[in-house]
């Protein structure tokens, strides 16, 4: 419980410190970094880990499809809730950015992040049951790979109009789901471990949907070369960060 709590709180606090100081002034540009982090976390880390398990690939792909459709419906409900607001209503929207549209991505990122943290808790519990030293190493490794992901989450939440305090509070609640995952893994590991691939795939579907369906269209609205070059560089930087921090964990 101590390891899962520290893993959640430490990663959130470190990401918040970085996001709220160095990145808060350039949130819109840092959305590109967040896209790189979310895509690479899903496609190069979480999904390969899920498909390397003994789970049926067809069932995993069905889970991915169900996750994408679930996040589509969550966004659709948010659109219907704010149906009084229209993007082309003739009013000025800074940088072509619609606050309600970004807000939907903010809430969806919390759902996906909570699922991912729950899985991390199960993994930490499994490592401690195998060997306490391995559990400590696993917790440290999870903190390392969570920090860039949480930075990406904070960027999305700030871009969605969340205040710093509100973004930190909700992200902290999501991070503490790792404690719930740890407890579940400790007491029911045989059954809970079989769920890990499906939770990873479902969480990944959320990150993929947000990156491709919400954030990248925002970036495409700024189509000048002056905006495009930093976007490509920051996406590549996000991918490199995740590759660097997850390579050691995978080994």
């Amino acid at each position: 419980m101590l390891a899962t709590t520290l893993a959640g709180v430490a990663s959130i606090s470190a990401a918040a410190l970085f996001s709220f100081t160095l990145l808060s002034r350039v949130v819109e540009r840092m959305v590109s970094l967040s896209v790189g982090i979310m895509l690479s976390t899903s496609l190069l880390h979480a999904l390969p880990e899920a498909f390397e398990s003994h789970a049926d690939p067809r069932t995993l792909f069905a889970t991915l499809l169900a996750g994408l459709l679930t996040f589509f419906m969550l966004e659709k409900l948010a659109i219907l809730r704010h149906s009084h607001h229209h993007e082309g209503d003739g009013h000025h929207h800074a940088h072509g950015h619609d606050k309600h549209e970004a807000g939907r991505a903010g809430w969806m990122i919390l759902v996906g992040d909570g699922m991912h943290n729950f899985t991390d808790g199960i993994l930490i519990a499994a490592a401690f049951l195998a060997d306490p030293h391995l559990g400590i190493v696993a917790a440290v490794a999870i903190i390392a790979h969570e920090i860039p992901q949480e930075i990406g989450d904070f960027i999305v939440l700030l871009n969605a109009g969340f205040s710093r305090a509100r973004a930190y509070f909700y992200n902290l609640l999501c991070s503490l789901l790792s404690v719930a995952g740890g407890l579940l893994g400790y007491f029911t590991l045989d059954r809970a471990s079989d769920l890990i691939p499906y939770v990873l795939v479902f969480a990944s579907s959320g990150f993929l949907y947000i990156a491709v369906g919400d954030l990248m269209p925002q970036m495409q609205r700024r189509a000048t070369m002056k905006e495009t070059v930093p976007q490509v560089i920051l996406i590549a930087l996000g991918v490199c960060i995740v590759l660097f921090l997850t390579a050691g964990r995978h080994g």
Side-chain angles (χ1 to χ4, degrees):
M1 288 182 65
L2 180 61
T4 53
T5 302
L6 287 177
V9 174
S11 60
I12 284 290
S13 299
L17 179 65
F18 192 64
S19 301
F20 296 162
T21 53
L22 299 179
L23 301 181
S24 60
R25 299 175 185 176
V26 286
V27 166
E28 289 189 2
R29 180 156 289 182
M30 287 296 105
V31 166
S32 304
L33 179 68
S34 181
V35 167
I37 290 172
M38 283 193 285
L39 289 178
S40 53
T41 297
S42 301
L43 297 173
L44 304 179
H45 172 56
L47 287 177
E49 186 173 324
F51 280 91
E52 286 171 3
S53 69
H54 299 294
D56 178 29
R58 291 180 180 273
T59 307
L60 291 176
F61 274 114
T63 303
L64 181 62
L65 174 61
L68 290 171
L69 293 177
T70 297
F71 282 94
F72 169 77
M73 290 306 301
L74 287 174
E75 184 174 36
K76 183 66 70 175
L77 291 173
I79 293 173
L80 293 174
R81 180 183 176 189
H82 297 291
S83 59
H84 64 279
H85 184 89
H86 302 283
E87 176 69 16
D89 57 4
H91 296 290
H92 174 69
H93 300 285
H95 305 288
H97 173 269
D98 184 79
K99 185 176 180 180
H100 289 298
E101 182 178 331
R104 297 195 299 271
W107 287 110
M108 288 190 293
I109 196 72
L110 291 172
V111 176
D113 191 39
M115 297 285 290
H116 195 272
N117 290 329
F118 184 80
T119 303
D120 282 342
I122 296 175
L123 295 175
I124 290 175
F128 267 101
L129 286 172
D131 183 342
H133 293 93
L134 179 61
I136 295 173
V137 172
V140 172
I142 284 174
I143 291 173
H145 98 267
E146 279 290 314
I147 289 175
Q149 179 188 310
E150 298 296 349
I151 289 174
D153 293 350
F154 274 119
I155 292 168
V156 175
L157 293 176
L158 293 175
N159 184 57
F162 282 62
S163 67
R164 296 180 182 184
R166 195 179 179 205
Y168 182 82
F169 175 74
Y170 283 115
N171 245 342
L172 182 63
L173 287 181
C174 287
S175 72
L176 293 179
L177 284 175
S178 62
V179 180
L183 289 173
L184 179 65
Y186 185 82
F187 290 109
T188 62
L189 189 62
D190 289 339
R191 286 172 291 174
S193 61
D194 293 335
L195 298 177
I196 289 177
Y198 303 101
V199 177
L200 282 173
V201 169
F202 189 86
S204 296
S205 71
F207 294 143
L208 291 173
Y209 185 87
I210 294 161
V212 176
D214 285 284
L215 300 184
M216 293 180 84
Q218 287 183 41
M219 294 162 57
Q220 295 289 44
R221 292 175 187 156
R222 297 186 281 276
T224 64
M225 186 60 67
K226 182 179 179 181
E227 292 286 349
T228 300
V229 172
Q231 286 176 352
V232 173
I233 292 174
L234 287 169
I235 290 174
L237 178 61
V239 173
C240 291
I241 290 172
V242 173
L243 281 175
F244 176 76
L245 291 176
T246 57
R249 183 189 178 196
H250 181 74

